Amino acid sequence: LTGFILGMRALRDEQNKLEDSQKGLQALTGLDEGAITWLTSRAKELSTTMTKEGLRVRQSANEILDAFMLVGSAKPELLGDKEALAAVTEEAMRLQAAAEDISLNQAVDALTLSLNQYGDASDQVARYANVLAAGSKAGAANIASQAKAIKTAGTAASSANVPIEQTVGLIETLAYKGIKDEVAGTGLKKFFLVLQTGAKDTNPAIVGLDKALENLKNKNMDAGAIKKMFGEEGYNTASVILQNTEMVKQFTEAVTGTNIAYEQSAINSDTMSAKLAQARNQMKLAGIELMEKLTPAITLSTNAMTYVIKILPALIDWFKEWGSTVLW
């Protein structure tokens, strides 16, 4: 009996979590009840079934609703479009499953931050997910590290007409030489700004990054010339890039036009632990459905118990005063 009661209490807690996530999502997005019901249904489906691409999402329905909120907070333009919001969130979960060494929050940050830095819409999210996953697989900078660099250098790269593929190629080249995270981002930002404000033949916004690097390398600059052009803080970054232009091309090719996020997430989620996670999610949802049907009866019994508890003090006082008389 104790186990049954504790089990029912646990199911009620799961029901409350799901309801709290629903209300939080509605408060953030301003979507109507119909849209929230659709998103909840989508969250339940994702948490219990395998997608057509082979992804098994391990997060529970309420955790997926919370992920919807994270994505909506990072990209407010999605708040009025439930399908786009769900699509971007699904790609974030795919990216997290493909990498496995990052949390869902980090995957959401990496995707939305990259899209925002480049000013791209949600229809490009699959491309970005594949680029980041491919970069993590091919190079030394994982997805979280790439995101830290893109956060600093992304806007400068976009203004220089350097696509996300080449930016990740540069990030992975720097990571190979031990320059990572914000340090790589700061160096790349300086690198792009110097090239954009310099000669036309080395401006990637005019001639493209490959040609700009080729022309820059042909100048055969020594350490002093590189330091003079890029400054002390940009020297290491510029030196590594100029000495490894072929590596930049190789990493760029490795992250261009791939389906790495789809392939890796399908492989990583084809495990017994992923299947068990979805089975647990299915059990939780069945329990939540049961609790929804039992809620009226539970509410009635709780109200009745509350009434009894309220009258007990008065009843005790009455017996203190009149108990002996009644017994006599």
Side-chain angles (χ1 to χ4, degrees), residues 25 28-29 31 39 64-81 84-86 88-89 108 112 116:
L25 181 60
L28 173 70
T29 61
L31 294 172
L39 286 170
I64 295 174
L65 288 175
D66 291 341
F68 289 155
M69 283 192 281
L70 284 174
V71 173
S73 297
K75 286 193 72 63
E77 65 270 22
L78 298 178
L79 295 180
D81 187 344
L85 180 63
V88 173
T89 306
V108 169
T112 55
N116 289 342

Side-chain angles (χ1 to χ4, degrees), residues 45-59 64 90 93-94 96-98 100 262 264-279 281:
E45 181 183 358
L46 282 171
S47 70
T48 56
T49 60
M50 184 176 70
T51 67
K52 63 181 181 180
E53 297 86 5
L55 170 67
R56 286 187 177 89
V57 175
R58 305 184 190 209
Q59 285 80 11
I64 295 174
E90 183 176 340
M93 291 187 288
R94 191 186 317 283
Q96 189 263 333
E100 284 202 321
Y262 287 76
Q264 291 292 102
S265 63
I267 293 171
N268 291 338
S269 63
D270 187 23
T271 62
M272 185 56 67
S273 62
K275 294 173 184 177
L276 285 173
Q278 289 208 326
N281 292 337

Side-chain angles (χ1 to χ4, degrees), residues 200-271:
K200 291 182 179 180
D201 65 334
T202 57
N203 186 344
I206 297 175
V207 299
L209 181 65
D210 287 341
K211 189 63 176 178
L213 293 181
E214 180 184 340
N215 292 337
L216 194 62
K217 187 177 180 180
N218 289 338
K219 293 181 183 293
N220 295 317
M221 294 187 295
D222 59 16
I226 294 174
K227 182 178 178 181
K228 181 178 179 182
M229 183 173 182
F230 293 97
E232 190 169 341
E233 66 174 3
Y235 173 79
N236 288 344
T237 300
S239 296
V240 168
I241 292 172
L242 291 178
Q243 292 169 12
N244 298 276
T245 55
E246 288 303 314
M247 185 182 292
V248 174
K249 291 180 181 179
Q250 290 170 5
F251 277 127
T252 300
E253 290 174 2
V255 304
T256 301
T258 75
N259 284 312
I260 294 297
Y262 287 76
E263 295 166 4
Q264 291 292 102
S265 63
I267 293 171
N268 291 338
S269 63
D270 187 23
T271 62

Side-chain angles (χ1 to χ4, degrees), residues 91 94-95 98 111 124-137 146 165 168 254-265:
E91 290 301 328
R94 191 186 317 283
L95 183 60
L111 265 185
Q124 295 294 310
V125 66
R127 170 192 163 205
Y128 277 72
N130 282 311
V131 169
L132 293 171
S136 179
K137 180 180 179 181
Q146 293 174 56
E165 290 83 358
V168 170
V255 304
T256 301
T258 75
N259 284 312
I260 294 297
Y262 287 76
E263 295 166 4
Q264 291 292 102
S265 63

Side-chain angles (χ1 to χ4, degrees), residues 37 170 181 211 227 231 233 239 262 272 294 300 320 325:
T37 299
L170 289 165
D181 303 339
K211 189 63 176 178
K227 182 178 178 181
E233 66 174 3
S239 296
Y262 287 76
M272 185 56 67
L294 291 177
L300 180 63
K320 284 181 179 179
T325 304

